[in-house]
């Protein structure tokens, strides 16, 4: 291993290059170990090698020569060089250093930094200024070369832009270039110009489940249920606005001062919400709910202790036997993930129609029709609401209707569908308990504008909904199915609920995680007895603790 410190100015900060070989080649050509692309450096200029714990340097017949402590060394002859001797090559000064081999660090990818290095790098105003200058220069070059980015595939476009960025950096005199890893800088510039900027690495991190951009220089991420501040930032509000446009434009959504909020999705199905000024007072903000590329399975939920095997078996029976299920929970409680998993129990031979504001469900079946709502255009026309889609879905011969989330008047149409032959439908809604969910459903039906008496609405709910699954995000960040309740019917204008399972919290472990157990109340829904009477095998052991 040979390590060498490279200076543009002996009073400045050095850039350290380490090579895990006994010979280190120096020159302007790209195949050298140390590339010095400035005046006075030949294509293959010199080499430093180690022999018997001593270092030697040889000039490879360079045009302007190689100097050790200001004395020019002979061409093609090896000269001993001591630690901290000053080697002069063109505009550069070099010193041989003792190489300290850190095996873990050597194995790191070049784009990986420690949290401290990331914080220092991304928040350095000189780096921010340099990125902005290079980014703007890159756009100018693309324009001058009349490069039609729409006609070039992504790989070739990135390759060409990579070459342009390197050309720009070679012409740049910024001292900060000597203090940072240029490969990281180049990647960041290309990500901002061609992709989603600082969001790219966060989206690629499988441990990150949510990304929350409060403003250009404040990005929070959620990992394992805990929220922390990321060192990454956007260079400016303009850069952040550009990324938002890059997300929403391909799916036909728009965001501007007249329509400053938008729901969208990424190519992988992750849900995106963006808000811009004047509504967002601190600058543009984005919230991204990430979804796994490989959809979670019920086995994953059992392993995460989100659900017990008994509850999973029961819900599978409910879905297979066409029970209407509402998944209730707060924001970020995992309702959509649970909806995905319950949907996976729908038999392959049934036609499923999914309806969402921003498509994010990841159903595994083939016979699926996916519908997505549409906001109004700039003239305020062309809006397609969830309610429109629910009504239309009834004309599409669905065996099952799956609504990503009921938020308003579409709830009435969903309940009517459940009551008119579309059993086995699934949806989610926001509420803090099964009882609250019933009140919420009633309120949302009233939002439809239909003048229905409360008694009629409750009868609709009691007749349509069979099971309510309550999902909760606990204080420790973990997610649990806290209740599974059956809707029994209506008595004295009140809808009757019966809990079948619930989660009993018992405390916290050493790491602060909630501990507890899933309890079966012993209540057995009536429809299970019907299944037994029809000769269908049901594991009744799931109702015993």
């Amino acid at each position: 291993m040979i390590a060498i410190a490279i200076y543009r100015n002996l009073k400045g900060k050095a850039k350290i290059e380490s090579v895990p070989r006994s010979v280190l080649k120096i020159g302007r050509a790209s195949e050298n170990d140390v590339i010095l692309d400035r005046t006075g450096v030949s294509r293959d200029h010199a080499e430093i090698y180690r022999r018997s714990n001593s270092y030697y340097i040889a000039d490879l017949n360079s045009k302007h020569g190689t100097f050790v402590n200001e004395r020019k060394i002979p061409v093609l002859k090896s000269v001993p060089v001591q630690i901290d001797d000053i080697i002069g090559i063109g505009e550069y000064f070099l010193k041989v250093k003792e190489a300290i081999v850190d095996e873990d660090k050597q194995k790191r990818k070049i784009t990986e930094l420690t949290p401290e290095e990331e914080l220092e790098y991304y928040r350095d105003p000189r780096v921010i200024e340099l990125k902005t200058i290079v980014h703007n220069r890159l756009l100018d070059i693309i324009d001058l070369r009349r490069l039609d980015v729409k006609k070039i595939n992504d790989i070739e476009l990135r390759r060409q832009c990579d070459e342009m960025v390197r050309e720009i950096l070679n012409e740049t005199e910024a001292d900060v270039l000597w203090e940072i890893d240029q490969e990281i800088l180049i990647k960041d510039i290309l990500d901002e110009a061609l992709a989603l900027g600082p969001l790219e690495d966060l989206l690629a991190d499988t441990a990150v489940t949510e990304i929350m951009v409060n403003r250009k220089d404040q990005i929070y991420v959620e990992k394992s249920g805990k929220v922390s501040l990321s060192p990454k930032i956007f260079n400016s509000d303009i850069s952040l606005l550009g990324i938002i446009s890059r997300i929403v434009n391909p799916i036909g959504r728009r965001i501007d001062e007249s329509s400053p909020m938008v729901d969208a999705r990424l190519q992988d199905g992750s849900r995106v919400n963006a808000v811009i000024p004047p509504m967002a007072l601190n600058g543009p903000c984005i919230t991204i709910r990430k979804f796994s590329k490989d959809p979670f399975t019920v086995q994953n939920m059992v392993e995460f202790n989100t659900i017990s095997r008994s509850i999973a078996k029961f819900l599978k029976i409910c879905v297979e036997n066409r029970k209407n299920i509402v998944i209730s929970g707060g924001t970020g409680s995992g309702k959509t993930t649970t909806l995905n998993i319950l949907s996976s129990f729908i038999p392959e031979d049934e036609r499923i129609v999914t309806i969402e504001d921003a498509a994010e469900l990841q159903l595994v079946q083939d016979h699926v029709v996916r519908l997505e709502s549409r906001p109004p255009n700039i003239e305020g026309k062309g809006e397609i609401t969830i309610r429109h889609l629910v009504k239309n879905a009834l004309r599409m011969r669905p065996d099952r209707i799956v609504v990503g989330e009921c938020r308003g008047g579409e709830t009435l149409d969903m309940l009517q569908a459940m009551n008119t032959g579309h059993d086995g439908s699934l949806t989610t809604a926001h509420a803090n308990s099964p009882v609250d969910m019933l009140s919420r459903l009633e309120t949302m039906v009233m939002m439809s504008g239909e003048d229905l008496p409360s008694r009629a609405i409750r009868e609709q709910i009691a007749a349509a909904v069979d099971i309510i699954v309550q999902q909760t995000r606990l204080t420790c960040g973990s997610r649990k199915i806290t209740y599974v309740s059956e809707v029994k019917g209506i008595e004295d204008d009140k809808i009757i609920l019966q809990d079948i399972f619930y989660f009993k919290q018992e405390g916290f472990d050493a790491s602060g995680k909630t501990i507890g157990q899933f309890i079966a109340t012993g209540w057995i829904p009536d429809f299970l007895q019907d299944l037994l009477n029809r000769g269908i095998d049901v594991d009744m052991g799931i109702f015993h603790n």
Side-chain angles (χ1 to χ4, degrees), residues 511-524:
S511 63
K513 288 289 185 182
T514 300
I515 56 175
Q517 56 182 321
F518 296 97
I519 304 293
T521 64
W523 176 260
I524 300 175

Side-chain angles (χ1 to χ4, degrees), residues 261-279:
M261 298 184 297
V262 69
D263 286 317
R265 67 179 186 278
L266 301 179
Q267 288 184 344
D268 66 358
S270 296
R271 181 199 306 166
V272 180
N273 175 268
V275 186
I276 64 172
M279 287 192 63

Side-chain angles (χ1 to χ4, degrees), residues 454-496:
S454 294
R455 170 79 186 192
I457 295 173
R458 290 170 190 164
E459 286 177 347
Q460 282 265 18
I461 294 170
V465 180
D466 296 306
I467 300 292
I468 295 177
V469 177
Q470 182 68 38
Q471 183 140 355
T472 303
R473 179 178 174 179
L474 304 177
T475 54
C476 65
S478 62
R479 296 166 172 87
K480 304 285 185 187
I481 301 294
T482 50
Y483 288 96
V484 176
S485 304
E486 181 186 21
V487 179
K488 289 284 295 170
I490 187 167
E491 290 182 10
D492 299 326
D493 284 345
K494 182 179 180 181
I495 300 174
I496 305 301

Side-chain angles (χ1 to χ4, degrees), residues 298-309 311 471-472 474 478-482 503-504 513-518:
V298 69
Q299 181 61 32
N300 296 137
M301 289 188 74
V302 171
E303 291 170 356
F304 297 153
N305 204 29
T306 299
I307 192 172
S308 69
R309 292 191 184 278
I311 295 176
Q471 183 140 355
T472 303
L474 304 177
S478 62
R479 296 166 172 87
K480 304 285 185 187
I481 301 294
T482 50
F503 177 74
K504 182 181 180 182
K513 288 289 185 182
T514 300
I515 56 175
Q517 56 182 321
F518 296 97

Side-chain angles (χ1 to χ4, degrees), residues 71-255:
R71 296 183 60 181
K72 189 174 184 179
I73 66 173
V75 173
L76 299 176
K77 287 190 176 180
S78 298
V79 174
V81 61
Q82 305 297 319
I83 299 295
D84 287 340
D85 278 352
I86 300 173
I87 301 167
I89 295 179
E91 301 177 9
Y92 300 91
F93 301 97
L94 287 72
K95 291 182 180 181
V96 175
K97 294 288 185 182
E98 287 291 351
I100 301 173
V101 181
D102 183 338
E103 292 296 336
D104 291 333
K105 192 171 182 179
Q106 289 298 318
K107 291 176 183 176
R108 285 197 314 170
K109 294 180 181 178
I110 195 164
T111 54
E112 290 180 350
L113 297 172
T114 66
E116 293 76 17
E117 290 169 335
E118 277 194 305
L119 192 62
E120 181 181 357
Y121 166 73
Y122 287 111
R123 309 269 165 167
D124 190 327
R126 298 171 302 162
V127 174
I128 296 171
E129 181 183 10
L130 179 59
K131 284 183 182 179
T132 303
I133 291 170
V134 176
H135 181 260
N136 292 338
R137 179 69 181 130
L138 173 64
L139 297 181
D140 290 341
I141 293 176
I142 290 174
D143 188 47
L144 286 171
R145 295 185 184 180
R146 297 179 180 178
L147 189 65
D148 191 344
V149 297
K150 294 181 180 178
K151 294 184 178 179
I152 304 175
N153 67 56
D154 292 344
I155 296 174
E156 177 60 20
L157 177 61
R158 195 170 183 100
R159 186 193 67 77
Q160 291 192 32
C161 288
D162 184 285
E163 291 179 356
M164 295 178 201
V165 170
R166 291 179 190 276
E167 289 175 13
I168 297 166
L169 290 176
N170 284 338
E171 299 168 2
T172 301
E173 299 291 338
D175 289 338
V176 72
L177 278 173
W178 294 89
E179 302 174 26
I180 61 175
D181 188 329
Q182 290 190 27
E183 294 303 317
I184 298 175
L185 178 69
I186 291 168
K187 178 184 181 300
D188 287 345
I189 293 169
L190 293 177
D191 282 346
E192 183 164 336
L194 306 175
L196 300 181
L199 301 181
E200 282 292 314
D201 289 336
L202 301 178
L203 290 167
D205 187 346
T206 56
V208 173
T209 55
E210 193 127 15
I211 302 168
M212 295 152 279
V213 182
N214 292 350
R215 58 176 190 256
K216 65 180 174 61
D217 58 351
Q218 190 181 76
I219 303 175
Y220 283 90
V221 296
E222 181 186 65
K223 291 185 179 182
S224 303
K226 296 295 183 182
V227 175
S228 60
L229 181 65
S230 166
K232 295 180 180 293
I233 62 171
F234 288 87
N235 293 336
S236 64
D237 282 345
I238 293 174
S239 170
L240 178 48
L241 281 169
I243 297 304
I244 293 174
S245 297
R246 195 169 292 158
I247 291 171
V248 304
N249 289 343
I251 60 171
R253 302 290 171 103
R254 68 183 183 89
I255 187 167

